[in-house]
Amino acid sequence: MPDFGLFYKEWRQNKALLTTIFVAFMINNPFTVLSKYNSYRGCAAQQSEWGGTCLFTIDYFHGTFISLFWIWGVVLAVSQIGIERSKGLSEFTLSLPYTRGQVFNAKFMIGGMVIVVPQLIGYVLSVLLLVLLKPDQVFYFHYYSLGMIIVSMLAYSLVMAGGALTGHIFAQLLVSFTVVISPFLVITLPAISMDILFGGRLAFLDFPIPEWMMYVFPITYVVPNWVGHSPYYLVIPTVMNIMFYIIGYISFTKMSNERNGSFFLWKALDLPVQVIVIIFGILGFGCFGYAASGGIGGYLFGMAAGAVIGFLISYFAIYKKTKHV
């Protein structure tokens, strides 16, 4: 269990951001209810002029900004690890008489509380508003409110794990973004390439991906479509939250966290990741070349260009250290 001093240090260091995120999460759900109510009141005021019917409905699947609030989890994780390391504050934190595990847990716990607690408060306030205002219909309120707590924590834990693995802000964001788009990189690009090479004769590409499999990938939760499906799918991002926490904890405690400008803190990852980037560059530019030319010649030319571009990007991103700020 982290010491109170670590919580106080995290609060003093990020109090402006923590306060902003807390307030934003707390008022967003009640603001949504009040905004819909004001729209209904405006409609009712004009009803006598055009003779229509006004209904006070709240649909969390459409017309709410709550689905964008996972971004606050990303901002908080970048501030707690990426910005702290880039400014050299991590050396001071690690010099305190605490273990690295205590430091990481203090960051994660205060981040989790700032994400979860205000959303629970906002949920309770929204329930009270719904009881008071008595809307005609409310869609997906409970499922969406609970789901956004899990999704915003998923974004936070993912970027925290990315920050614990990498040495600066750009690397933290790039690794996190790569994990988010991993289904496209791991499944779609190879499938398209195989389809091109076999002349479109691979019948298995015509079958849709099972719905449950979509929820294994974090990118699914970026858009609010998940709210229209089974609430049991929220178990998957809950498990991913735990997994990313474990990855972040192990990386933070076992690797050097001082500011050294390296892309990955664990140097053994450099070469395998570079090879993977080159492979994705070959496949991606090969598919683009085929789409642009419509022939296998364009596909081969795109593969060659992708190999060069993938090598250059991976070399300068991974092996060239960033300057200290």
Side-chain angles (χ1 to χ4, degrees), residues 77-88:
V78 169
S79 175
Q80 286 185 300
I81 292 187
I83 293 178
E84 180 174 327
R85 183 180 290 121
S86 297
K87 290 184 175 181

Side-chain angles (χ1 to χ4, degrees), residues 22-252:
F22 191 98
V23 173
F25 272 127
M26 184 176 64
I27 68 174
N28 188 60
N29 209 338
F31 176 80
T32 297
V33 177
L34 291 174
S35 176
K36 296 295 183 181
Y37 179 70
N38 287 334
S39 298
Y40 163 73
R41 289 286 302 273
C43 174
Q46 300 176 2
Q47 184 176 2
S48 58
E49 299 179 8
W50 53 274
T53 301
C54 296
L55 291 176
F56 179 24
T57 63
I58 305 174
D59 186 353
Y60 277 76
F61 188 46
H62 301 287
T64 65
F65 293 101
I66 300 178
S67 59
L68 300 176
F69 270 51
W70 55 266
I71 296 175
W72 285 116
V74 174
V75 173
L76 181 56
V78 169
S79 175
Q80 286 185 300
I81 292 187
I83 293 178
E84 180 174 327
R85 183 180 290 121
S86 297
K87 290 184 175 181
L89 298 174
S90 57
E91 283 86 346
F92 167 73
T93 303
L94 295 174
S95 69
L96 298 174
Y98 305 108
T99 65
R100 296 190 177 212
Q102 288 178 308
V103 171
F104 182 82
N105 282 333
K107 291 179 178 293
F108 199 92
M109 289 176 67
I110 197 169
M113 287 188 291
V114 167
I115 291 173
V116 174
V117 172
Q119 291 191 79
L120 290 176
I121 295 174
Y123 170 75
V124 173
L125 293 175
S126 299
V127 170
L128 295 177
L129 284 173
L130 293 177
V131 172
L132 178 65
L133 300 176
K134 297 180 175 61
D136 297 295
Q137 290 179 312
V138 180
F139 301 100
Y140 302 115
F141 168 68
H142 301 288
Y143 176 31
Y144 202 79
S145 299
L146 174 62
M148 278 313 302
I149 296 176
I150 297 174
V151 170
S152 52
M153 274 302 298
L154 174 62
Y156 173 72
S157 60
L158 168 60
V159 181
M160 284 289 284
L165 279 168
T166 55
H168 50 81
I169 298 173
F170 174 73
Q172 180 182 13
L173 291 173
L174 183 59
V175 168
S176 302
F177 177 72
T178 303
V179 173
V180 169
I181 64 170
S182 58
F184 175 75
L185 298 176
V186 175
I187 298 176
T188 307
L189 278 181
I192 294 175
S193 296
M194 292 175 63
D195 194 48
I196 292 172
L197 293 175
F198 286 90
R201 295 189 298 271
L202 297 180
F204 71 88
L205 294 176
D206 297 329
F207 292 97
I209 298 176
E211 184 179 89
W212 67 267
M213 188 177 294
M214 296 169 54
Y215 290 88
V216 176
F217 304 106
I219 194 174
T220 302
Y221 304 95
V222 172
V223 294
N225 293 345
W226 52 267
V227 76
H229 300 113
S230 172
Y232 295 108
Y233 287 141
L234 288 178
V235 174
I236 299 176
T238 302
V239 173
M240 285 195 286
N241 269 312
I242 299 172
M243 180 184 69
F244 288 134
Y245 163 77
I246 293 173
I247 292 173
Y249 179 84
I250 294 175
S251 300
F252 196 90

